Amino acid sequence: MLSPTQPDQQKNYSPFAHISTSNHTTNTSLLSFDHHQHSPLNNFLQLREAGIEGLVVRTGYVYLDSLQSCTVALILLGLEPRVPVLQAALFVSMSIFWRRGSSLHQKEKQQPELQSEAKVDELKAALGPLSGRSLLYCTDACLRRYLEARNWNVEKAKKMLEETLAWRSTYKPEEIRWHEVAVEGETGKLFRANFHDRYGRTVLILKPGLQNTTSMDNQIKHLVYLMENAMLNLPEGQEEMAWLIDFTGWSFSTNVPVRTAKDTINILQDHYPQRLAVAFLYTPPRVFQAFWKIVKIFMDPKTFQKVKFVYPKNNESVDLMRSYFDVDNLPTEFGGKATMKYDHEDFSRLMAQDDVKAAKFWGFDQKTSSTTAGYAASAAVAAVAPEPAKSTSIIAT
């Protein structure tokens, strides 16, 4: 008779007659029988009568996972364990799987996704009814990001999300318009590139050595604006973005204070969780290490793991960065082949157009100024792009 057994009980049965209802690499649920007590035909009939289908049958070193293979295995079980055919490392693979076994395999693959959806539904219920911009913000993908940031703990994710909603209702990041922060972008110290990484993610380029203002509040506002803009321009189904940080010209005189760095990190971690896929810090000077040792204390471990240092003479770090970016799109200042030129007026026109798009999305089309309207009305729509060999303008996509 078939009887359930645990892996540590397998010694009571022939090592050549183990039948598993799960993947053979996990061996979590075993059904075994003694082949000496049953003929191959009876064993086969017992399996069918028990309704056991889609099994992985292990006979010595042989793994079988189809109806035909199971028949072969049961025939083999009628032989003595020491016959040559069982001693050999015989592998039998068939392309026809039992329907129920295939279904079980699909269910195993879908299990994490089902658990994820269940957590999202639980978080929705915990938040209660939402309306207005909060409803627009709290998409299923958004809830999933907050759950991931809090290791799928619904209570912690709820607390984090409620804090973000409170912050957004006060700070109103979706209402910031380009003309309010345009002065911060005059030197090109932070902008959205017109190329994506290999995964289709929006790319933000930061050049802290081009710092041109002293208002820390406005610098943070500028960053928040471009975070919102990057989110607005993410491809469908994509939730993350990539950062490229060029340290050319960086020094302590252009560096932000530790307090501002801490405030910036807190905003990004607390209110934009799981938005950063990776940040490449390209050739940071040795003196930056002292600043980094202080700043990284404020970072969540998950965020810290996404920060990568790249040095041209370190092939491993260069290869890592190039695994994310096509070298033909990557600007020369990051070791690529593309020449990039930042044009503030062109970028301003692009941002003005995006302001109109953002206003429409959030439902406050009236929030435009004459400055923004002037930019949006410009006939030419250009972007920050790799400079072509010929002196022609490049239109943003």
Side-chain angles (χ1 to χ4, degrees):
M1 293 294 292
L2 290 168
S3 59
T5 181
Q6 297 300 320
D8 60 346
Q9 297 174 318
Q10 292 178 18
K11 59 188 178 183
N12 298 326
Y13 299 90
S14 166
F16 298 99
H18 295 299
I19 300 177
S20 172
T21 58
S22 64
N23 188 296
H24 66 262
T25 59
T26 58
N27 259 351
T28 57
S29 177
L30 296 176
L31 289 171
S32 301
F33 60 92
D34 190 339
H35 70 278
H36 289 293
Q37 298 178 9
H38 302 278
S39 68
L41 182 59
N42 286 339
N43 291 332
F44 179 75
L45 292 175
Q46 288 171 10
L47 288 172
R48 294 299 297 272
E49 289 173 0
I52 300 173
E53 299 178 352
L55 301 176
V56 175
V57 179
R58 179 161 62 83
T59 60
Y61 298 102
V62 186
Y63 288 86
L64 309 126
D65 51 15
S66 70
L67 177 60
Q68 292 89 339
S69 298
C70 186
T71 305
V72 173
L74 291 169
I75 292 173
L76 292 176
L77 290 175
L79 302 174
E80 287 297 324
R82 294 185 180 182
V83 297
V85 69
L86 285 176
Q87 291 178 343
L90 174 66
F91 290 87
V92 182
S93 64
M94 308 297 288
S95 60
I96 303 176
F97 290 88
W98 290 7
R99 184 175 61 183
R100 188 177 299 177
S102 177
S103 176
L104 288 172
H105 182 62
Q106 290 177 359
K107 286 180 180 178
E108 287 178 359
K109 292 174 66 176
Q110 293 172 353
Q111 194 66 21
E113 184 177 344
L114 292 174
Q115 291 176 350
S116 168
E117 292 306 316
K119 289 287 186 179
V120 169
D121 290 341
E122 188 179 345
L123 180 54
K124 279 183 184 177
L127 287 170
L130 298 172
S131 61
R133 297 180 194 177
S134 294
L135 182 60
L136 285 174
Y137 182 77
C138 294
T139 62
D140 284 4
C142 172
L143 300 187
R144 195 172 292 110
R145 287 188 296 101
Y146 280 80
L147 283 164
E148 288 177 2
R150 290 297 178 261
N151 297 316
W152 297 93
N153 183 302
V154 174
E155 284 301 317
K156 291 182 179 180
K158 175 177 178 287
K159 181 176 183 295
M160 184 184 192
L161 184 49
E162 287 176 338
E163 289 173 352
T164 292
L165 294 177
W167 174 78
R168 292 184 71 88
S169 68
T170 303
Y171 199 86
K172 301 185 185 302
E174 71 276 10
E175 291 190 15
I176 303 172
R177 289 294 168 263
W178 174 247
H179 71 90
E180 300 173 38
V181 295
V183 64
E184 297 289 341
E186 288 180 352
T187 60
K189 66 185 178 187
L190 171 60
F191 57 88
R192 174 171 61 84
N194 80 325
F195 63 89
H196 297 83
D197 70 0
R198 295 184 186 274
Y199 301 91
R201 292 182 286 231
T202 300
V203 179
L204 288 184
I205 294 180
L206 296 82
K207 299 188 174 187
L210 299 180
Q211 183 59 262
N212 62 322
T213 63
T214 57
S215 172
M216 301 305 166
D217 290 340
N218 216 46
Q219 289 173 14
I220 292 176
K221 189 176 183 180
H222 180 223
L223 174 60
V224 167
Y225 170 84
L226 282 168
M227 285 292 294
E228 295 284 321
N229 180 267
M231 288 158 48
L232 186 70
N233 286 280
L234 283 171
E236 185 177 354
Q238 183 57 263
E239 291 291 307
E240 298 179 313
M241 63 191 74
W243 286 16
L244 289 173
I245 306 175
D246 173 22
F247 279 85
T248 301
W250 182 91
S251 67
F252 275 114
S253 63
T254 59
N255 193 38
V256 298
V258 172
R259 180 179 178 181
T260 303
K262 178 183 177 182
D263 291 343
T264 302
I265 290 171
N266 287 340
I267 288 175
L268 296 177
Q269 290 183 160
D270 296 343
H271 306 311
Y272 296 93
Q274 302 301 111
R275 282 299 190 187
L276 179 65
V278 65
F280 286 105
L281 280 61
Y282 196 78
T283 62
R286 187 177 298 274
V287 69
F288 176 78
Q289 296 295 334
F291 177 74
W292 174 248
K293 287 180 180 179
I294 299 173
V295 169
K296 69 181 183 181
I297 296 173
F298 310 120
M299 285 188 171
D300 178 271
K302 289 184 178 181
T303 304
F304 177 76
Q305 292 297 323
K306 296 176 181 180
V307 179
K308 311 296 181 183
F309 286 73
V310 182
Y311 298 95
K313 294 183 179 180
N314 185 314
N315 292 333
E316 185 177 350
S317 66
V318 171
D319 290 343
L320 177 63
M321 185 172 70
R322 291 185 177 182
S323 70
Y324 282 81
F325 294 95
D326 186 334
V327 69
D328 291 329
N329 290 334
L330 203 61
T332 54
E333 49 264 58
F334 294 100
K337 297 180 179 180
T339 301
M340 180 169 286
K341 180 182 179 181
Y342 177 78
D343 187 306
H344 185 60
E345 289 301 314
D346 286 346
F347 190 70
S348 294
R349 295 188 190 100
L350 177 65
M351 293 299 98
Q353 282 204 335
D354 281 353
D355 283 352
V356 174
K357 184 165 61 174
K360 184 176 181 181
F361 176 82
W362 292 107
F364 48 89
D365 303 58
Q366 302 302 318
K367 185 74 166 61
T368 54
S369 68
S370 57
T371 305
T372 300
Y375 281 134
S378 299
V381 179
V384 178
E387 187 177 5
K390 298 180 180 180
S391 57
T392 56
S393 63
I394 294 181
I395 306 301
T397 55

